[in-house]
Amino acid sequence: MAVLELLHERPMHPYEMTQLMRDRHLDHRVPVKPGSLYHTVDRLLAAGHIQIVETQREGRRPERTVYALTEQGRDAFVDRAKTMLGTLANEHPEFLSGLGAMDDLGRETALEQLRMRLLQLEAKAASQEVITRRLAEELPGIYWVDWRYTTAQVRFELEWTRQLVDDITSGRLDWTARDCRPERLSPVPTGSTEDRPDDRAS
């Protein structure tokens, strides 16, 4: 999806795509690796979503192939973007599984791990602030709305985890022994969304 997003702006070669992804910090949502990028480009080319429009050579540097969206690719990009923006997806963060296993770890071990997570979240939030200031100076806001969402998630998780640690240490969160846990809970109806393949880099 990231390749189609960039080519929706203008034709470019894979090296330029890689540089733009790094400059805009798209690595927070897609892996930015030249090898996987070229593989994605080949796949999109075979599918008819992009086409070769030019081959460039500067001095003794290797040739660089410039790609552009086809009409088919543009339609596919728009349809996928609308779905990703407007439809809830089933996502499964590992942190949720860790929270579910806290009682099995024990109170002190869980607190130790949560405090380690807090340190990492604090460092991540601080580094994101630096990047956010640079993005605000260099790019129009529409190009990094996704980054704003990512930083908001980190800030929320930081505050939520702080509150969780406080709830555990203060005793507000009951720590029930394994043999006291109920075997069954009443079913709760939930909405479902279909799982979809991870095509974020396409």
Side-chain angles (χ1 to χ4, degrees):
M1 187 67 180
V3 171
L4 296 180
E5 178 185 338
L6 292 174
L7 292 181
H8 195 264
E9 295 180 26
R10 65 177 186 275
M12 60 184 75
H13 51 73
Y15 180 78
E16 185 180 6
M17 296 179 205
T18 302
Q19 291 302 112
L20 277 175
M21 287 181 182
R22 288 173 176 160
D23 290 344
R24 297 178 185 179
H25 296 276
L26 299 192
D27 54 346
H28 71 280
R29 58 181 168 99
V30 293
V32 181
K33 298 178 181 178
S36 60
L37 179 66
Y38 281 100
H39 175 74
T40 299
V41 167
D42 288 341
R43 181 165 55 84
L44 291 172
L45 184 64
H49 289 171
I50 63 176
Q51 61 185 348
I52 298 172
V53 293
E54 185 183 358
T55 301
Q56 298 176 346
R57 179 186 290 275
E58 295 181 7
R60 306 177 75 177
R61 294 180 179 178
E63 286 186 348
R64 289 178 176 171
T65 303
V66 178
Y67 297 88
L69 278 183
T70 61
E71 285 302 315
Q72 176 184 332
R74 193 178 306 277
D75 291 343
F77 167 75
V78 170
D79 288 344
R80 190 70 187 122
K82 287 162 61 176
T83 299
M84 297 173 84
L85 191 61
T87 305
L88 290 177
N90 287 326
E91 299 173 343
H92 308 284
E94 287 189 354
F95 187 39
L96 298 183
S97 297
L99 291 172
M102 277 202 316
D103 57 335
D104 298 299
L105 294 176
R107 182 178 182 276
E108 294 308 315
T109 299
L111 274 173
E112 178 186 4
Q113 297 305 310
L114 287 170
R115 285 171 176 146
M116 286 175 56
R117 189 179 191 90
L118 276 177
L119 291 174
Q120 295 173 64
L121 286 168
E122 288 167 354
K124 188 171 186 177
S127 66
Q128 285 181 338
E129 282 295 322
V130 175
I131 294 172
T132 298
R133 288 194 294 270
R134 187 181 68 79
L135 289 172
E137 293 172 355
E138 298 180 2
L139 288 174
I142 191 62
Y143 287 115
W144 49 283
V145 172
D146 53 324
W147 177 257
R148 287 173 54 194
Y149 177 79
T150 297
T151 59
Q153 281 186 310
V154 171
R155 291 195 303 271
F156 169 80
E157 185 180 332
L158 174 58
E159 293 306 316
W160 191 91
T161 306
R162 280 176 177 160
Q163 185 62 56
L164 177 60
V165 168
D166 189 57
D167 288 345
I168 295 172
T169 55
S170 67
R172 285 192 298 270
L173 181 65
D174 293 333
W175 205 271
T176 306
R178 176 189 289 273
D179 55 3
C180 296
R181 288 186 295 184
E183 293 185 3
R184 287 180 177 272
L185 295 175
S186 300
V188 178
T190 58
S192 64
T193 57
E194 295 183 359
D195 289 322
R196 62 191 186 213
D198 186 352
D199 60 355
R200 292 169 296 174
S202 65

